[in-house]
Amino acid sequence: MMIDFHAHTFPDRIAPAAVNKLEHMAHARSFSDGTRAGLLQCMQAAGIDHAVVLPVATNPLKCASMNDASHALDGLDGLTYLAAIHPDAPDWYEELGRVQQLGFLGVKIHPVYQDVPIDDTRFVRILDRCGELGLFVVMHGGADIGFPGVERCSPARLRRALALAGPVTLIAAHMGGWRNWEEVPEQLLDTGVYLDTAYTLGAINPLDAHYTPEELPMLAEERFVELVRLFGSNRVLFGTDSPWDDMQACVTRIRALPLTEEEKADIFGRNASRLLQI
């Protein structure tokens, strides 16, 4: 089974505006319309059997309503939805308990969009509570293409946060830290975190002339393979960041890497199946 552990959708009524806004923030073009139907169509074309949808709560007062909407869709059409939590949500403790009772397996946090550093007490308490409840956490790692110069979730900050929180299963997206890749082994190798492959290989798909040619490449394939071997393929999850990358191209890139078939099997689905209890 091939599982994409890092995808995004928006409700149909807001998807066009949301995708347009984010495209212009990032100066990068999307590869689908950002809807649930668009995601399913891309999955079918790429041969992906299952995907994990990661909602991001940008309003601390709307976590419960977002989670209710995700709960209604969770498990349908080969999609697993995670819960959303905001570090400033006044009922964060109770909401995480409710999330676990509803049957969610994990939560998504995004320190850049939520404007709180990952090693802030507000996030540390969320990590701690998720560990107590048996919920895994998927966290945006490193810089964010839409917020140049903003530093909220570097590998070093994540290391401090994990040292302050109790044991928790955490997936650091974008191979541990988008464009912070040189810091990832030193800061995260001994922490037990998982990495996901989302938006790391290939190149940015420019929307306009904002990027110079030298800014377009992302993680070199040789360095990607080094990170897989350092962390072990049992700690790497396949992700596409759809709609922001081409799902089919993401599959092709991983398949073309000089990794063993066992390593590719770990990345493409075996590790995700374990975390998702499939």
Side-chain angles (χ1 to χ4, degrees), residues 154-216:
S154 65
R157 282 193 183 274
L158 176 55
R159 183 180 184 86
R160 287 194 291 271
L162 291 170
L164 293 168
V168 61
T169 299
L170 186 138
I171 298 95
H174 314 298
M175 292 302 282
W178 195 72
R179 292 198 168 171
N180 294 170
W181 294 304
E182 293 307 312
E183 304 170 30
V184 169
E186 178 184 356
Q187 299 295 339
L188 301 181
L189 186 58
D190 64 349
T191 64
V193 302
Y194 289 79
L195 313 179
D196 85 24
T197 70
Y199 213 64
T200 53
L201 294 171
I204 296 167
N205 186 33
L207 180 69
D208 49 39
H210 175 80
Y211 294 107
T212 60
E214 59 270 19
E215 290 176 312
L216 294 180

Side-chain angles (χ1 to χ4, degrees), residues 8 16 20 60 68 97 155 171-172 189 223 256 264 276:
H8 302 281
N20 182 67
D68 287 341
I171 298 95
L189 186 58
R223 184 57 176 159
K264 291 175 186 177
L276 298 176

Side-chain angles (χ1 to χ4, degrees), residues 243-265:
W244 308 112
D245 206 346
D246 181 340
M247 292 183 116
Q248 199 161 11
C250 290
V251 172
T252 300
R253 291 182 198 121
I254 301 290
R255 281 185 171 153
L257 293 173
L259 297 168
T260 69
E261 291 306 308
E262 283 296 300
E263 288 170 326
K264 291 175 186 177

Side-chain angles (χ1 to χ4, degrees), residues 215-263:
E215 290 176 312
L216 294 180
M218 294 210 266
L219 184 59
E221 291 183 357
E222 295 81 1
R223 184 57 176 159
F224 181 96
V225 171
E226 286 177 10
L227 287 173
V228 171
R229 296 268 162 79
L230 278 170
F231 279 79
S233 62
N234 63 317
R235 288 171 62 185
V236 182
L237 300 158
F238 175 63
T240 67
D241 212 0
S242 180
W244 308 112
D245 206 346
D246 181 340
M247 292 183 116
Q248 199 161 11
C250 290
V251 172
T252 300
R253 291 182 198 121
I254 301 290
R255 281 185 171 153
L257 293 173
L259 297 168
T260 69
E261 291 306 308
E262 283 296 300
E263 288 170 326

